Amino acid sequence: KAGVTQTPRYLIKTRGQQVTLSCSPISGHRSVSWYQQTPGQGLQFLFEYFSETQRNKGNFPGRFSGRQFSNSRSEMNVSTLELGDSALYLCASSSGTAPLVPQYFGPGTRLTVL
Amino acid sequence: QQQVKQSPQSLIVQKGGISIINCAYENTAFDYFPWYQQFPGKGPALLIAIRPDVSEKKEGRFTISFNKSAKQFSLHIMDSQPGDSATYFCAAVYGQNFVFGPGTRLSVLP
């Protein structure tokens, strides 16, 4: 069974630019959630999508957005990048049944904002 | 109230010893408490989880102890092995709300 895949694995951007990250969940999983991991703040929940609908959202500014496609693949977009957006972005996939507990995380996308 | 506190920040244990990581929460609405294990360069992986109506859950060398009245829960790793060296995150869930602890870096010395 293939795991959660994320692309790209590494990304370097400059302030003010925008970025799109992609996540493919485990086959059959309908829930995809996104997290930001930094040394200072730890792992923070961004949002969760289930069947193409955003089901829950964390406390991040509107510059962070996402979407999910009919095949459950998900993208996350960050606009007007700031230095503080440098982080490891993880997505996780779950079957989607309650409770919301991500089961399998991808390897992450390391975003560096210069 | 959404915060989950986790301690210690880092932990060094000798091979064969017991590793203990503690977490505490404030919001009594939390009704599910998973633990995750993360190795360098990898994403976190669900390790074990418990509901508050159970005081203890054991899976192999990993045990969660839960104290509902104190709003605390802990992970015990028995017979710790160098391969257990990783960062461990506790988490708390209710409804669609998911909160992670800040993590504990465990190093098991050979």
mmCIF file of all heavy atoms in Angstrom, chain A residues 67-85:
data_model
loop_
_atom_site.group_PDB
_atom_site.id
_atom_site.type_symbol
_atom_site.label_atom_id
_atom_site.label_comp_id
_atom_site.label_asym_id
_atom_site.label_seq_id
_atom_site.Cartn_x
_atom_site.Cartn_y
_atom_site.Cartn_z
ATOM 1 N N ARG A 67 -7.262 23.204 -0.976
ATOM 2 C CA ARG A 67 -8.402 22.608 -1.673
ATOM 3 C C ARG A 67 -8.159 21.120 -1.835
ATOM 4 O O ARG A 67 -7.018 20.647 -1.705
ATOM 5 C CB ARG A 67 -8.615 23.264 -3.028
ATOM 6 C CG ARG A 67 -7.435 23.186 -3.990
ATOM 7 C CD ARG A 67 -7.802 23.812 -5.328
ATOM 8 N NE ARG A 67 -6.674 23.835 -6.256
ATOM 9 C CZ ARG A 67 -6.799 24.141 -7.541
ATOM 10 N NH1 ARG A 67 -7.983 24.448 -8.059
ATOM 11 N NH2 ARG A 67 -5.737 24.144 -8.332
ATOM 12 N N GLN A 68 -9.236 20.429 -2.126
ATOM 13 C CA GLN A 68 -9.129 18.986 -2.337
ATOM 14 C C GLN A 68 -9.880 18.639 -3.618
ATOM 15 O O GLN A 68 -10.975 19.171 -3.875
ATOM 16 C CB GLN A 68 -9.712 18.214 -1.155
ATOM 17 C CG GLN A 68 -9.489 16.710 -1.257
ATOM 18 C CD GLN A 68 -10.045 15.956 -0.074
ATOM 19 O OE1 GLN A 68 -11.052 16.348 0.511
ATOM 20 N NE2 GLN A 68 -9.395 14.859 0.298
ATOM 21 N N PHE A 69 -9.308 17.754 -4.371
ATOM 22 C CA PHE A 69 -9.889 17.357 -5.645
ATOM 23 C C PHE A 69 -10.721 16.080 -5.479
ATOM 24 O O PHE A 69 -10.683 15.425 -4.441
ATOM 25 C CB PHE A 69 -8.774 17.167 -6.673
ATOM 26 C CG PHE A 69 -7.934 18.391 -6.876
ATOM 27 C CD1 PHE A 69 -6.745 18.562 -6.180
ATOM 28 C CD2 PHE A 69 -8.340 19.409 -7.737
ATOM 29 C CE1 PHE A 69 -5.968 19.709 -6.343
ATOM 30 C CE2 PHE A 69 -7.571 20.546 -7.908
ATOM 31 C CZ PHE A 69 -6.387 20.703 -7.204
ATOM 32 N N SER A 70 -11.441 15.756 -6.533
ATOM 33 C CA SER A 70 -12.346 14.599 -6.458
ATOM 34 C C SER A 70 -11.601 13.290 -6.232
ATOM 35 O O SER A 70 -12.172 12.325 -5.728
ATOM 36 C CB SER A 70 -13.194 14.506 -7.738
ATOM 37 O OG SER A 70 -12.358 14.411 -8.879
ATOM 38 N N ASN A 71 -10.322 13.247 -6.559
ATOM 39 C CA ASN A 71 -9.543 12.019 -6.325
ATOM 40 C C ASN A 71 -8.861 12.037 -4.958
ATOM 41 O O ASN A 71 -8.004 11.215 -4.686
ATOM 42 C CB ASN A 71 -8.496 11.825 -7.424
ATOM 43 C CG ASN A 71 -7.484 12.962 -7.477
ATOM 44 O OD1 ASN A 71 -7.584 13.923 -6.707
ATOM 45 N ND2 ASN A 71 -6.518 12.866 -8.389
ATOM 46 N N SER A 72 -9.280 12.986 -4.131
ATOM 47 C CA SER A 72 -8.786 13.170 -2.746
ATOM 48 C C SER A 72 -7.423 13.833 -2.662
ATOM 49 O O SER A 72 -6.999 14.184 -1.556
ATOM 50 C CB SER A 72 -8.765 11.855 -1.958
ATOM 51 O OG SER A 72 -10.079 11.416 -1.733
ATOM 52 N N ARG A 73 -6.740 14.012 -3.765
ATOM 53 C CA ARG A 73 -5.482 14.764 -3.713
ATOM 54 C C ARG A 73 -5.769 16.186 -3.235
ATOM 55 O O ARG A 73 -6.845 16.740 -3.493
ATOM 56 C CB ARG A 73 -4.825 14.792 -5.087
ATOM 57 C CG ARG A 73 -3.411 15.372 -5.099
ATOM 58 C CD ARG A 73 -2.799 15.298 -6.504
ATOM 59 N NE ARG A 73 -3.433 16.226 -7.423
ATOM 60 C CZ ARG A 73 -3.109 17.503 -7.562
ATOM 61 N NH1 ARG A 73 -2.148 18.023 -6.809
ATOM 62 N NH2 ARG A 73 -3.732 18.265 -8.451
ATOM 63 N N SER A 74 -4.806 16.734 -2.517
ATOM 64 C CA SER A 74 -5.024 18.060 -1.942
ATOM 65 C C SER A 74 -3.848 18.971 -2.253
ATOM 66 O O SER A 74 -2.713 18.513 -2.428
ATOM 67 C CB SER A 74 -5.214 17.941 -0.426
ATOM 68 O OG SER A 74 -5.350 19.214 0.177
ATOM 69 N N GLU A 75 -4.139 20.241 -2.336
ATOM 70 C CA GLU A 75 -3.102 21.257 -2.497
ATOM 71 C C GLU A 75 -3.259 22.300 -1.401
ATOM 72 O O GLU A 75 -4.368 22.586 -0.947
ATOM 73 C CB GLU A 75 -3.214 21.953 -3.857
ATOM 74 C CG GLU A 75 -2.796 21.093 -5.024
ATOM 75 C CD GLU A 75 -2.874 21.841 -6.354
ATOM 76 O OE1 GLU A 75 -3.481 22.926 -6.410
ATOM 77 O OE2 GLU A 75 -2.322 21.309 -7.341
ATOM 78 N N MET A 76 -2.124 22.831 -0.990
ATOM 79 C CA MET A 76 -2.113 23.929 -0.046
ATOM 80 C C MET A 76 -1.386 25.098 -0.694
ATOM 81 O O MET A 76 -0.346 24.914 -1.332
ATOM 82 C CB MET A 76 -1.379 23.524 1.232
ATOM 83 C CG MET A 76 -1.498 24.560 2.340
ATOM 84 S SD MET A 76 -0.423 24.223 3.728
ATOM 85 C CE MET A 76 1.047 25.062 3.188
ATOM 86 N N ASN A 77 -1.952 26.273 -0.541
ATOM 87 C CA ASN A 77 -1.362 27.473 -1.135
ATOM 88 C C ASN A 77 -1.051 28.494 -0.043
ATOM 89 O O ASN A 77 -1.857 28.687 0.877
ATOM 90 C CB ASN A 77 -2.333 28.076 -2.152
ATOM 91 C CG ASN A 77 -1.744 29.273 -2.868
ATOM 92 O OD1 ASN A 77 -1.823 30.399 -2.377
ATOM 93 N ND2 ASN A 77 -1.134 29.042 -4.010
ATOM 94 N N VAL A 78 0.112 29.085 -0.137
ATOM 95 C CA VAL A 78 0.461 30.179 0.767
ATOM 96 C C VAL A 78 0.800 31.375 -0.114
ATOM 97 O O VAL A 78 1.702 31.301 -0.957
ATOM 98 C CB VAL A 78 1.655 29.847 1.670
ATOM 99 C CG1 VAL A 78 1.851 30.960 2.699
ATOM 100 C CG2 VAL A 78 1.460 28.512 2.365
ATOM 101 N N SER A 79 0.080 32.459 0.072
ATOM 102 C CA SER A 79 0.334 33.652 -0.718
ATOM 103 C C SER A 79 1.142 34.656 0.096
ATOM 104 O O SER A 79 1.207 34.580 1.328
ATOM 105 C CB SER A 79 -0.994 34.279 -1.163
ATOM 106 O OG SER A 79 -1.743 34.678 -0.031
ATOM 107 N N THR A 80 1.757 35.577 -0.592
ATOM 108 C CA THR A 80 2.533 36.660 0.037
ATOM 109 C C THR A 80 3.418 36.099 1.158
ATOM 110 O O THR A 80 3.258 36.418 2.345
ATOM 111 C CB THR A 80 1.597 37.751 0.601
ATOM 112 O OG1 THR A 80 0.536 38.011 -0.319
ATOM 113 C CG2 THR A 80 2.382 39.042 0.812
ATOM 114 N N LEU A 81 4.322 35.261 0.780
ATOM 115 C CA LEU A 81 5.165 34.564 1.750
ATOM 116 C C LEU A 81 5.923 35.522 2.667
ATOM 117 O O LEU A 81 6.391 36.583 2.238
ATOM 118 C CB LEU A 81 6.157 33.664 1.015
ATOM 119 C CG LEU A 81 5.590 32.361 0.460
ATOM 120 C CD1 LEU A 81 6.571 31.729 -0.510
ATOM 121 C CD2 LEU A 81 5.246 31.399 1.587
ATOM 122 N N GLU A 82 6.018 35.105 3.925
ATOM 123 C CA GLU A 82 6.798 35.835 4.936
ATOM 124 C C GLU A 82 7.918 34.922 5.422
ATOM 125 O O GLU A 82 7.835 33.697 5.308
ATOM 126 C CB GLU A 82 5.887 36.233 6.100
ATOM 127 C CG GLU A 82 4.724 37.110 5.691
ATOM 128 C CD GLU A 82 3.802 37.446 6.854
ATOM 129 O OE1 GLU A 82 4.076 36.964 7.978
ATOM 130 O OE2 GLU A 82 2.815 38.177 6.636
ATOM 131 N N LEU A 83 8.966 35.546 6.000
ATOM 132 C CA LEU A 83 10.093 34.759 6.502
ATOM 133 C C LEU A 83 9.624 33.705 7.503
ATOM 134 O O LEU A 83 10.132 32.587 7.546
ATOM 135 C CB LEU A 83 11.134 35.679 7.152
ATOM 136 C CG LEU A 83 11.827 36.673 6.230
ATOM 137 C CD1 LEU A 83 12.813 37.535 7.027
ATOM 138 C CD2 LEU A 83 12.557 35.955 5.103
ATOM 139 N N GLY A 84 8.630 34.074 8.297
ATOM 140 C CA GLY A 84 8.117 33.170 9.324
ATOM 141 C C GLY A 84 7.364 31.970 8.786
ATOM 142 O O GLY A 84 7.002 31.070 9.540
ATOM 143 N N ASP A 85 7.135 31.938 7.495
ATOM 144 C CA ASP A 85 6.457 30.787 6.885
ATOM 145 C C ASP A 85 7.428 29.643 6.618
ATOM 146 O O ASP A 85 7.004 28.551 6.229
ATOM 147 C CB ASP A 85 5.777 31.198 5.581
ATOM 148 C CG ASP A 85 4.679 32.222 5.781
ATOM 149 O OD1 ASP A 85 4.088 32.250 6.884
ATOM 150 O OD2 ASP A 85 4.422 33.008 4.843
#
